[in-house]
Amino acid sequence: MISTENSSTQTSKLNPIVLIGILFFIFGFITWLNSVLIPYLKLACELNNLEAYLVAFCFYIAYFLMATPSARILNITGYKKGIAAGLGVIAVGALLFIPAALTRQYSLFLFGLFVQGTGLALLQTASNPYITILGPPESAAKRISIMGICNKIAGAIAPIVLGAVALKDADGLKERLDKMSIDEKIVQLNELASRVITPYIIIVIVLVILAGFIYYSSLPEIDSDKKDDADIVEAPSVTNKTSVFQFPHLLLGAFTLFLYVGAEVIAGDTVINYGAAQGIALSSAKFFTTCTLVCMIAGYLIGIFCIPKYFTQETAMKGSGILGIIFSILALVTSGFTSVLMIALLGLANSLVWPAIWPMALAGLGKFTKTGASLLVMGISGGAVIPLIYGALSDSFNPQHAYVILIPIYLMIWLYAVNGHKIGLHQNLKIKSTQ
């Protein structure tokens, strides 16, 4: 029989988890629109591969530049007001797409993406440690997996929704553009650019409404420092630390996260272009990102049901690294639909890295938890750098051979799960024994 106190505690935890789940849905929807924006803007603004992947660069570089300021903002405002502010900033970035579309200015599109990334940096800095703290650390990967499903369901929907509007008859338009005069081409490309105006107006309205809802909600503040102190006893070497840079397992975690996000973005954002490069029509290729995210959802479901009952989050991350290496090699040695399928299957390999790495990297940080989280959020900027390198390799060689960049990334993910997350940690913590 459940006591009244325990029932009340469960209810108080459920409501914040539901709200954070809604936020993760928003993260996914906004983030994975990029998979359609890349081929869409490549066509509308007449770009090469490297220029097209500036979409990912400008979006994700905001995480690097704004993560530390985000932590400072949260320390002043608290979680709830910070989350509402983050949603407002994303709305401003989405609003910038309207003048960008009207003028067909690629630089203005990129600025809008940077502003959206800035708002998401603030939201991620708040939400990831929040869901980690709401429960025991050994099941943190399970809770983050649930959030991941919310994120990836939205991510699976987003490319279909925007693709139906932005990439409608894109294959036919590409063929017709080569036969048009310059004036006719400008008219057609301006019409193509204007297609995103209505979707982004709707996005702005939804974000503003959600920001107001969060601001006036009962979302509680959580004292992460106090929570940590209740669960662990810090050794003098931890108590006397003055910076997150004194935690090797966190620094390695941030670097691994940097590489991992780059791999995740490559798997999701390049697969449409890659399918087109393999001779598959854009009308079909626009669904490939959804396939990648469905694979990620499958992986998250495995995490929810199996962690920590059947295997640990460390074991899950080791398996992710191994699968990533296998699928990357198969993508390189096969061709056509099979090769594209291997890139989509990377979603399965990627699925349990994010849920595992956060609790592993934040373990034992105590009062440095928020700042440590901001450092991990800075690692999301791997989504800016790694796809750009992929784009350069695609232009220099070809889109398939460029996927060789993924192999050392998944090797590093495996190494962090094997030993990297333990480096320096055993010297910093004395865990309370439990019976």
Side-chain angles (χ1 to χ4, degrees), residues 140-141 144-145 307 312-314 316-317 351-361 416:
I144 298 178
S145 290
I307 298 174
T312 65
Q313 50 202 23
E314 290 87 350
M317 192 167 168
S351 59
L352 294 181
V353 179
W354 181 275
I357 201 168
W358 275 84
M360 290 161 67
Y416 185 76

Side-chain angles (χ1 to χ4, degrees), residues 235-256:
S237 59
V238 174
T239 304
N240 295 331
K241 288 188 183 296
T242 58
S243 169
V244 291
F245 296 104
Q246 294 170 296
F247 295 89
H249 74 287
L250 171 66
L251 300 181
L252 281 171
F255 177 66
T256 304

Side-chain angles (χ1 to χ4, degrees), residues 92-328:
V92 172
L95 195 61
L96 287 171
F97 267 46
I98 297 172
L102 290 173
T103 59
R104 201 159 57 90
Q105 289 294 318
Y106 187 48
S107 58
L108 193 51
F109 277 115
L110 295 179
F111 182 61
L113 287 162
F114 176 81
V115 175
Q116 290 174 49
T118 297
L120 280 168
L122 182 56
L123 291 178
Q124 293 273 21
T125 305
S127 300
N128 284 289
Y130 199 107
I131 202 66
T132 299
I133 290 165
L134 285 174
E138 64 271 13
S139 61
K142 187 175 189 176
R143 292 190 300 279
I144 298 178
S145 290
I146 295 172
M147 297 301 105
I149 289 177
C150 297
N151 183 282
K152 296 309 181 288
I153 287 175
I157 294 170
I160 295 175
V161 173
L162 186 61
V165 177
L167 294 179
K168 184 179 179 180
D169 191 35
D171 298 298
L173 179 61
K174 284 174 68 175
E175 293 179 4
R176 293 195 300 273
L177 286 174
D178 293 333
K179 303 172 185 177
M180 292 180 184
S181 66
I182 294 177
D183 290 339
E184 289 175 322
K185 181 184 287 188
I186 291 173
V187 171
Q188 288 295 314
L189 292 179
N190 285 342
E191 186 278 328
L192 178 64
S194 68
R195 292 181 186 180
V196 296
I197 293 176
T198 299
Y200 273 86
I201 289 175
I202 295 171
I203 288 171
V204 170
I205 293 171
V206 171
L207 288 170
V208 170
I209 292 172
L210 184 58
F213 178 76
I214 292 290
Y215 186 85
Y216 292 106
S217 73
S218 58
L219 189 68
E221 289 297 334
I222 291 182
D223 188 344
S224 59
D225 303 345
K226 191 173 182 179
K227 171 92 175 172
D228 284 346
D229 292 342
D231 292 336
I232 59 176
V233 176
E234 294 181 350
S237 59
V238 174
T239 304
N240 295 331
K241 288 188 183 296
T242 58
S243 169
V244 291
F245 296 104
Q246 294 170 296
F247 295 89
H249 74 287
L250 171 66
L251 300 181
L252 281 171
F255 177 66
T256 304
L257 190 72
F258 175 89
L259 296 176
Y260 157 71
V261 174
E264 181 182 315
V265 172
I266 283 176
D269 283 1
T270 71
V271 70
I272 295 176
N273 266 345
Y274 181 51
Q278 288 289 314
I280 300 170
L282 276 173
S283 57
S284 298
K286 68 184 180 183
F287 295 106
F288 291 154
T289 295
T290 298
C291 295
T292 304
L293 296 176
V294 167
C295 289
M296 291 195 77
I297 291 170
Y300 280 127
L301 289 172
I302 292 171
I304 290 170
F305 290 109
C306 296
I307 298 174
K309 186 175 182 180
Y310 297 108
F311 52 79
T312 65
Q313 50 202 23
E314 290 87 350
T315 300
M317 192 167 168
K318 291 175 191 175
S320 293
I322 292 170
L323 282 177
I325 293 171
I326 292 172
F327 291 145
S328 298

Side-chain angles (χ1 to χ4, degrees), residues 66 68-78 81-82 85 122:
M66 303 308 297
T68 299
S70 294
R72 292 173 182 167
I73 291 170
L74 288 175
N75 283 330
I76 296 171
T77 65
K81 291 181 181 178
L122 182 56

Side-chain angles (χ1 to χ4, degrees), residues 27-46:
F27 298 164
F29 196 90
I30 298 296
T31 299
W32 293 105
L33 288 174
N34 292 345
S35 63
V36 170
L37 288 175
I38 288 170
Y40 164 73
L41 290 172
K42 182 180 180 182
L43 180 59
C45 298
E46 302 177 284

